[in-house]
């Protein structure tokens, strides 16, 4: 049973955005402050990624943990609603399946994808390292697999995700 009236629920759901979300804006500000330039909602590749770096053939998706079903079981933002599961499960599972399909299409076209989850925005230093390792894998001292090895620890996102499990659809070489 929903705790809101249909009118209240409609009003709340109408506020959900598809682009220019707060998490996306935080990532955009961070990437820009690091000196990278990007394209927004790039339509020339599958999935219309949030940030695209055409010269590097790389894209970044900023996913909300709820809407895109963050697979980390310890992420509290990825909980399921308590009501109308018959509606929500297919919708959210469909979102996740579409995300995986679009990442695969990007990979087949030779593009690399990095997915940043909403809960991972809390550790800005680790996020900065992950973005730099993704965009500049050849930079000295930075490894795409274990970015923080130079600090002697593996950062963990606030949801408990070890940094090396942040999803990156980089083509294997």
């Amino acid at each position: 049973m929903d705790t809101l009236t249909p009118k209240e629920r409609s009003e709340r759901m109408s506020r959900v955005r598809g682009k220019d979300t707060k998490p996306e804006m935080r990532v955009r500000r961070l990437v820009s402050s690091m000196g990278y330039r990007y394209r927004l909602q790039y339509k020339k590749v599958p999935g219309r990624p949030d940030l695209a770096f055409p010269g590097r053939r790389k894209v970044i998706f900023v996913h909300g943990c709820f809407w895109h079903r963050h697979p980390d079981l310890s992420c509290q933002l990825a909980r399921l609603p308590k009501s109308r599961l018959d509606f929500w499960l297919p919708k959210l599972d469909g979102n996740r399946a579409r995300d995986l399909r679009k990442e695969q299409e990007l990979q087949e076209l030779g593009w690399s994808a990095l997915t940043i989850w909403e809960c991972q925005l809390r550790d800005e230093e680790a996020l900065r390292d992950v973005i730099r390792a993704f965009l500049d894998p050849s930079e000295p001292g930075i490894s795409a697999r274990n970015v923080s090895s130079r600090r002697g620890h593996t950062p963990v996102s606030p949801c408990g995700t070890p940094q090396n499990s942040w999803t990156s659809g980089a083509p294997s070489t």
Side-chain angles (χ1 to χ4, degrees):
M1 181 102 214
D2 200 352
T3 57
L4 300 175
T5 67
K7 184 178 179 180
E8 291 170 329
R9 174 64 59 203
S10 177
E11 181 182 335
R12 184 167 296 175
M13 294 305 290
S14 72
R15 293 184 193 154
V16 176
R17 297 194 216 165
K19 60 182 179 179
D20 297 335
T21 62
K22 287 180 184 179
E24 182 184 334
M25 297 301 286
R26 285 186 60 196
V27 171
R28 284 164 46 180
R29 278 192 293 274
L30 178 63
V31 169
S32 184
S33 74
M34 294 169 67
Y36 297 107
R37 297 298 167 248
Y38 50 85
R39 300 274 183 242
L40 295 176
Q41 306 294 321
Y42 197 59
K43 296 175 184 157
K44 295 181 181 179
V45 295
R48 252 181 55 199
D50 299 307
L51 287 82
F53 306 84
R56 300 170 190 269
R57 296 183 67 84
K58 295 186 179 200
V59 298
I60 295 177
F61 291 100
V62 182
H63 285 340
C65 296
F66 172 77
W67 292 106
H68 295 270
R69 299 290 309 265
H70 188 181
D72 183 353
L73 298 176
S74 65
C75 178
Q76 295 179 354
L77 299 176
R79 85 233 176 298
L80 279 174
K82 293 179 182 172
S83 63
R84 295 191 61 207
L85 287 178
D86 57 326
F87 168 78
W88 284 109
L89 279 174
K91 177 171 182 48
L92 298 175
D93 287 341
N95 288 351
R96 182 76 182 130
R98 182 194 63 232
D99 293 341
L100 295 173
R101 195 173 55 248
K102 294 302 179 183
E103 281 188 28
Q104 181 64 37
E105 290 174 25
L106 281 165
Q107 215 170 23
E108 289 169 3
L109 292 172
W111 287 70
S112 299
L114 173 68
T115 297
I116 298 173
W117 294 96
E118 176 183 12
C119 63
Q120 294 167 335
L121 297 176
R122 294 179 187 151
D123 188 350
E124 190 172 305
E125 184 180 341
L127 181 59
R128 182 181 299 270
D129 287 345
V130 168
I131 292 170
R132 184 171 289 117
F134 175 67
L135 294 175
D136 289 325
S138 62
E139 187 173 317
I142 295 182
S143 162
R145 291 284 177 218
N146 188 3
V147 175
S148 65
S149 62
R150 43 181 215 266
R151 288 195 305 267
H153 71 285
T154 300
V156 175
S157 75
C159 68
T161 308
Q163 176 239 290
N164 61 358
S165 71
W166 293 22
T167 54
S168 174
S172 56
T173 55

